Amino acid sequence: MMRSLLAALGFLTRVPVPAWVFKDAGATNASLAWYPTVGLLIGGVLWGLAWIGSSLPPLLLAALLLLVWTGLTGALHLDGLADSADAWVGGLGDRERTLAIMKDPRSGPMGVTAVVLVLLLKFAALASLPLADTAIWLAPMLARTAITAAFLSMPYVRSQGLGSALTHSPRLPCIVGVLAAVAVAACSGWHGARALLAASVVFACWRFACMHRLGGMTGDTLGALTELAEVVVLIVLV
């Protein structure tokens, strides 16, 4: 159990974990169930920093939080967002062309634009929210819960992608992890209910788009899902 949690933490964040964790295939497979928990931990760190820095000017505090948020995750999901934006526009509706563009490590104008706009929206939302509010931890938790839900409900279309190792994750622990995160959000009052609804709408729209264009998902589209879910949850709560 601890190995799978460390595997999830090591993959989704830049928090150092022992190297032997990633050599354990069983831990990697089981790590998917812990994604919502890692999201909650990320949110807890941000909430704590917001509380500590509550006396700072809102714009400065929002910028510092966004810096920590991006650094803590290593911009992993922003990279997926950029690749997905380039591929969705440049793919011109063609599945193979879309997948080929996603593999290109270079970011085009659409990818850069998508990253800038998402970061700008996050910054504006953080500057507008009471940062000790539940939103600061609900956003990362629900976004990573969406990743687990995606693996439960969609095929992974790349055989050698970063997420291919998670396609054989035990389903029952993943379902429990998703339901636990949903319960936590639902028990967080009106803010939690709104956040849950917003994340669910993003997930439904993202799933429809991926199934229609690709017949499934890739690691890049999961990164895009994470970023979009986070920013929409923040905006809705503002």
Side-chain angles (χ1 to χ4, degrees):
M1 180 179 294
M2 184 56 66
R3 288 191 176 195
S4 55
L5 174 58
L6 288 175
L9 186 65
F11 181 72
L12 293 176
T13 73
R14 298 284 71 83
V15 175
V17 300
W20 50 259
V21 169
F22 299 106
K23 298 178 181 179
D24 187 338
T28 301
N29 286 338
S31 67
L32 183 62
W34 291 101
Y35 278 29
T37 302
V38 173
L40 183 60
L41 292 174
I42 294 172
V45 170
L46 296 173
W47 184 89
L49 291 175
W51 182 79
I52 292 171
S54 58
S55 61
L56 293 174
L59 293 180
L60 176 59
L61 181 56
L64 291 174
L65 283 174
L66 187 57
L67 176 65
V68 172
W69 197 339
T70 304
L72 187 59
T73 60
L76 172 67
H77 307 300
L78 286 171
D79 178 68
L81 172 68
D83 289 342
S84 295
D86 282 333
W88 231 255
V89 175
L92 302 175
D94 181 76
R95 179 182 185 274
E96 297 307 320
R97 181 178 173 84
T98 300
L99 290 172
I101 293 174
M102 279 187 198
K103 292 183 69 174
D104 190 337
R106 296 168 296 181
S107 290
M110 288 308 302
V112 174
T113 300
V115 170
V116 170
L117 290 178
V118 164
L119 290 176
L120 179 62
L121 287 170
K122 280 188 175 182
F123 170 75
L126 289 171
S128 304
L129 278 170
L131 287 176
D133 204 341
T134 53
I136 199 67
W137 60 267
L138 279 167
M141 182 190 74
L142 289 175
R144 282 146 192 83
T145 301
I147 297 178
T148 305
F151 275 98
L152 288 171
S153 61
M154 296 174 65
Y156 194 83
V157 298
R158 292 196 193 277
S159 59
Q160 302 297 326
L162 282 176
S164 58
L166 301 176
T167 56
H168 303 295
S169 298
R171 291 183 63 84
L172 182 57
C174 291
I175 293 172
V176 172
V178 170
L179 292 179
V182 169
V184 169
C187 292
S188 301
W190 176 235
H191 288 323
R194 281 192 296 166
L196 183 57
L197 177 60
S200 299
V201 171
V202 171
F203 179 79
C205 294
W206 169 88
R207 186 181 186 280
F208 175 81
C210 287
M211 292 300 294
H212 179 72
R213 173 73 71 93
L214 304 176
M217 61 184 178
T218 68
D220 286 325
T221 61
L222 287 169
L225 169 65
T226 305
E227 290 295 334
L228 293 174
E230 285 181 343
V231 74
V232 170
V233 167
L234 291 175
I235 290 171
V236 166
L237 289 173
V238 170

